[in-house]
Amino acid sequence: MYTEKVMDHFTNPRNVGEIENANGVGEVGNAKCGDIMRIYLDVQDNIIKDVKFKTFGCGAAIATSSMVTELVMGKTLDEALKISNDAVAEALDGLPPAKMHCSNLAADALHEAIKDYISKKGK
């Protein structure tokens, strides 16, 4: 059974879409369940000014993607890197054990987008 927060973020996802000219993009997937998440970042002065996502997956995958965007908006990169898989699930008031892999994808996609931003900035 999904929590009320999971259902809210699934039926009314926040920050859906792409950021044109995003300066950080991260994509992860889980071949076992077929979920694919892509996170787009607009980082200015080390702060996440905008974040959007596109997810192909189950309700929990969409909810965790939506929640991770809310958790990082306005945060510094260091603060965003501290967001863990457990923190995403906790922010949604929990996920069924069989769906915990979905929250892992949301945090992983975020971390990949930050790594992409850092690698582009270093060039």
Side-chain angles (χ1 to χ4, degrees):
M1 188 71 179
Y2 291 119
T3 67
E4 198 173 305
K5 275 190 183 177
V6 171
M7 291 305 296
D8 180 41
H9 277 270
F10 169 61
T11 57
N12 304 294
R14 283 65 149 183
N15 306 304
V16 176
E18 294 181 38
I19 297 175
E20 198 173 315
N21 302 315
N23 51 17
V25 180
E27 180 176 289
V28 297
N30 183 323
K32 192 173 186 180
C33 67
D35 293 342
I36 300 170
M37 294 179 182
R38 182 176 284 169
I39 301 273
Y40 301 85
L41 298 177
D42 176 15
V43 181
Q44 298 171 24
D45 299 322
N46 205 40
I47 295 173
I48 297 173
K49 296 292 186 182
D50 197 9
V51 54
K52 298 210 179 299
F53 79 92
K54 283 187 142 184
T55 293
F56 176 82
C58 66
I62 292 166
T64 56
S65 298
S66 174
M67 178 55 80
V68 85
T69 66
E70 288 205 322
L71 291 173
V72 302
M73 190 77 75
K75 301 269 194 246
T76 66
L77 294 178
D78 287 340
E79 290 169 331
L81 281 169
K82 291 177 184 169
I83 292 174
S84 67
N85 305 327
D86 288 340
V88 175
E90 194 175 301
L92 288 165
D93 295 333
L95 288 170
K99 295 294 181 179
M100 280 303 290
H101 66 279
C102 299
S103 69
N104 294 351
L105 287 181
D108 291 348
L110 168 65
H111 296 158
E112 288 299 317
I114 293 169
K115 286 180 197 170
D116 181 55
Y117 168 78
I118 291 169
S119 73
K120 287 176 180 173
K121 187 180 174 197
K123 290 182 180 176

